[in-house]
Amino acid sequence: MNKLIENIIECIKSKKGYDITILNVKNVSSLTDYFIICSSDSNPQTKSIVNYIKRDLSKKKIKPYQIEGMDYFEWVLMDYFDIVIHVFKKEIREFYDIERLWADAKITKIKND
């Protein structure tokens, strides 16, 4: 796992994001190399996770190409070119089940501490 992915995971964990999954999609998609997916329990928690990742990576001079979903905070997508982060409210994540859609990817579950 590369340093940037580890950094993003630590940001998610520090804001109590959970059910963190990494999908290595390098061999199945030309969109990006990795999806990092996590769940939250509320819109404020989703907002907190997203803002913390954005702020932390900005300190390292890493800016997102695009962020979608900031209007409702039910599913926020943060596009950092090689890494795309999905922060879902739990029930929205269950509904879309993107892990199933990308089942051909190498999937790594991250244990919560």
Side-chain angles (χ1 to χ4, degrees), residues 77-94:
L77 182 145
M78 306 175 77
D79 186 347
Y80 284 93
F81 296 104
D82 294 340
I83 299 171
V84 175
I85 305 161
H86 299 267
V87 183
F88 283 99
K89 277 183 57 182
K90 184 178 188 283
E91 60 274 8
I92 301 298
R93 181 176 180 176
E94 290 169 358

Side-chain angles (χ1 to χ4, degrees), residues 11-99:
C11 288
I12 293 168
K13 286 181 176 182
S14 73
K15 294 299 178 184
K16 307 295 186 217
Y18 60 93
D19 198 11
I20 303 167
T21 305
I22 301 168
L23 279 62
N24 181 335
V25 294
K26 280 185 209 178
N27 297 325
V28 294
S29 174
S30 59
L31 298 172
T32 189
D33 291 342
Y34 297 94
F35 288 146
I36 299 175
I37 305 165
C38 75
S39 297
S40 78
D41 289 322
S42 66
N43 293 1
Q45 183 183 16
T46 299
K47 182 178 182 180
S48 177
I49 292 167
V50 168
N51 287 338
Y52 191 70
I53 292 169
K54 186 177 167 188
R55 193 169 41 250
D56 189 73
L57 296 184
S58 290
K59 290 176 187 174
K60 297 168 178 61
K61 307 286 189 240
I62 302 170
K63 305 276 188 213
Y65 169 68
Q66 190 168 2
I67 298 178
E68 295 287 336
M70 298 286 282
D71 295 336
Y72 300 105
F73 294 103
E74 293 187 345
W75 175 3
V76 178
L77 182 145
M78 306 175 77
D79 186 347
Y80 284 93
F81 296 104
D82 294 340
I83 299 171
V84 175
I85 305 161
H86 299 267
V87 183
F88 283 99
K89 277 183 57 182
K90 184 178 188 283
E91 60 274 8
I92 301 298
R93 181 176 180 176
E94 290 169 358
F95 178 80
Y96 285 102
D97 194 13
I98 63 174
E99 289 98 326

Side-chain angles (χ1 to χ4, degrees), residues 94-112:
E94 290 169 358
F95 178 80
Y96 285 102
D97 194 13
I98 63 174
E99 289 98 326
R100 183 184 51 79
L101 295 174
W102 292 94
D104 292 342
K106 181 179 179 229
I107 299 173
T108 305
K109 296 268 189 193
I110 305 298
K111 293 181 182 172
N112 282 357

